[in-house]
Amino acid sequence: MLKKFTISNYRSFYDEAELNLTADKDTIYTKKINNEYISKLCILYGYNGCGKSNLLNALKYIFYSNNGYIASSDDSIKRLSDPNMIYGKNKNSRFYLEFYSYDDYEICSYELVLDNSNKGIDLERFTKNNAIIFERKKNTISDGLFDYDDSIPDTNTFLSFLIIN
């Protein structure tokens, strides 16, 4: 269950923007997980042009990138990775998800940092209970389990690489 989603330097978002789904215990439509209340309902509202669609596109980008679709020739999928074109064309874009695992409700996080000047992945990290399960920096894997150094294209996430291969 998604707890928090953070993005920076993505489309209309230059500074860090956060969608936090934690709620008060008296709020309806919540689920209690490990003494925290997580909203099961999220409504996005705001003025036209304030970034509602870009927030959803960022979530779509994380989904597509981890299912191998970023290497697609479809232009609409390629455009999902566009950085903020006014201030951050050559700066890194960052996507961060914090969530509870489905099976044992342990807290997990996934971070993806795109190097927009080189059009590749600068950092990719997955943690569970603050322990690093997988980390890749500048296409170097350090997890102790896999030896994939330099064999994963820096346009593919680790998960999409495993799915494709």
Side-chain angles (χ1 to χ4, degrees), residues 5 9 18 67 81 91 93 105 115-116 128 141 164:
F5 179 56
N9 195 38
E18 179 180 281
N67 284 295
S81 66
K91 293 185 179 181
S93 296
Y105 293 118
D115 183 348
N116 291 315
K128 188 171 186 177
I141 309 298
I164 292 168

Side-chain angles (χ1 to χ4, degrees), residues 10-65:
Y10 179 75
R11 294 190 171 205
S12 60
F13 299 102
Y14 179 69
D15 295 325
E16 188 171 276
E18 179 180 281
L19 174 65
N20 193 335
L21 298 174
T22 57
D24 296 331
K25 76 175 192 174
D26 297 328
T27 307
I28 59 172
Y29 303 116
T30 59
K31 180 172 180 135
K32 184 177 179 183
I33 303 174
N34 299 343
N35 295 321
E36 266 190 310
Y37 292 88
I38 309 297
S39 177
K40 296 191 291 183
L41 176 67
C42 179
I43 298 171
L44 294 175
Y45 66 94
Y47 297 105
N48 289 345
C50 70
K52 300 178 299 289
S53 296
N54 287 337
L55 181 70
L56 294 175
N57 283 334
L59 282 169
K60 273 196 272 187
Y61 176 77
I62 293 295
F63 173 76
Y64 285 147
S65 65

